[in-house]
């Protein structure tokens, strides 16, 4: 099962996703946690958030920190994985492609969607939902929001389940058919 978990900042989406992958795989099964956001010593508040996420993970989970998400998912498509989060991946792609001013990222998005569609193990993807945060006041911010909306829609199309987490409470958007 592929699940897309959406929510605003601090909505509880990551914790819900962690519980969902544990329920899907069993408490004793290993999970590959794919972290897409880079850590830096220059931002203590971000480092504290990353540390809190790490502290919640069971010891049996492995952690991979990468922005090469499609490659990571394609290399082991049958092993359970939790990706946190798509916004971090998109930021890295936009940086790498110098897309903040309009350069295309379609090939990267296509590659990610193909990797998710071909994933055969349990997969939970966490992503910020567009419109549940500050409205971007800059061209680059609007571009990010537009691209994230497109990525979320494309991922939702290939996931069997989509859940929106609001104030820690899951709201089912799409169920398996």
């Amino acid at each position: 099962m592929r699940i897309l978990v959406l929510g605003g900042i601090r909505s509880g989406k990551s914790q819900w996703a962690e519980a969902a992958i544990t329920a899907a795989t069993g408490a004793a099964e290993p999970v590959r946690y794919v972290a897409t956001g880079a850590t830096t010593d220059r931002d203590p508040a971000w480092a504290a958030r990353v540390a809190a996420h790490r502290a919640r993970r069971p010891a049996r989970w492995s952690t991979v920190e990468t922005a090469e998400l499609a490659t990571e998912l394609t290399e082991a498509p049958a092993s359970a994985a939790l990706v946190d989060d798509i916004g971090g991946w998109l930021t890295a792609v936009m940086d790498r492609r110098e897309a903040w001013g309009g350069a295309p990222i379609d090939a990267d998005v296509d590659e990610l969607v193909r990797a998710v569609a071909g994933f055969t193990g349990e997969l939970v993807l966490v992503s910020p939902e567009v419109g549940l945060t500050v409205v971007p006041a800059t061209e680059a911010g609007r571009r990010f929001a537009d691209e994230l909306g497109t990525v979320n829609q494309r991922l939702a199309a290939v996931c069997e389940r989509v859940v929106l987490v609001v104030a820690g409470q899951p709201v089912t958007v799409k169920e398996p058919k």
Side-chain angles (χ1 to χ4, degrees):
M1 165 115 28
R2 294 174 299 252
I3 303 172
L4 176 61
V5 182
L6 303 167
I9 295 169
R10 298 291 207 184
S11 63
K13 62 189 176 293
S14 294
Q15 286 180 293
W16 191 91
E18 291 163 5
I21 194 82
T22 299
T25 60
E29 294 298 315
V31 171
R32 182 172 34 137
Y33 185 99
V34 184
T36 64
T39 56
T40 174
D41 293 336
R42 293 175 292 170
D43 188 346
W46 180 253
R49 283 184 182 209
V50 170
H53 278 241
R54 285 181 181 149
R56 282 198 315 254
R57 290 182 221 146
R60 70 185 175 287
W61 289 15
S62 62
T63 299
V64 177
E65 294 180 357
T66 184
E68 301 300 326
L69 187 50
T71 301
E72 181 64 30
L73 295 177
T74 303
E75 287 179 355
S79 63
L82 187 156
V83 176
D84 198 355
D85 80 7
I86 299 301
W89 170 82
L90 180 59
T91 299
V93 167
M94 291 181 75
D95 284 348
R96 184 173 63 242
R97 300 285 183 222
E98 298 180 358
W100 297 102
I105 61 166
D106 299 343
D108 297 272
V109 175
D110 291 345
E111 182 183 31
L112 175 61
V113 172
R114 276 193 305 274
V116 170
F119 203 85
T120 58
E122 298 293 337
L123 177 63
V124 178
L125 305 164
V126 177
S127 187
E129 177 54 36
V130 176
L132 296 181
T133 59
V134 176
V135 176
T138 64
E139 178 184 347
R142 287 187 298 274
R143 173 84 198 276
F144 177 82
D146 290 347
E147 293 294 348
L148 182 61
T150 298
V151 171
N152 283 348
Q153 288 180 50
R154 293 201 51 207
L155 291 173
V158 297
C159 287
E160 289 86 7
R161 187 170 184 207
V162 178
V163 174
L164 174 65
V165 179
V166 179
Q169 303 304 304
V171 178
T172 300
V173 176
K174 177 182 177 183
E175 283 286 357
K177 295 181 181 186

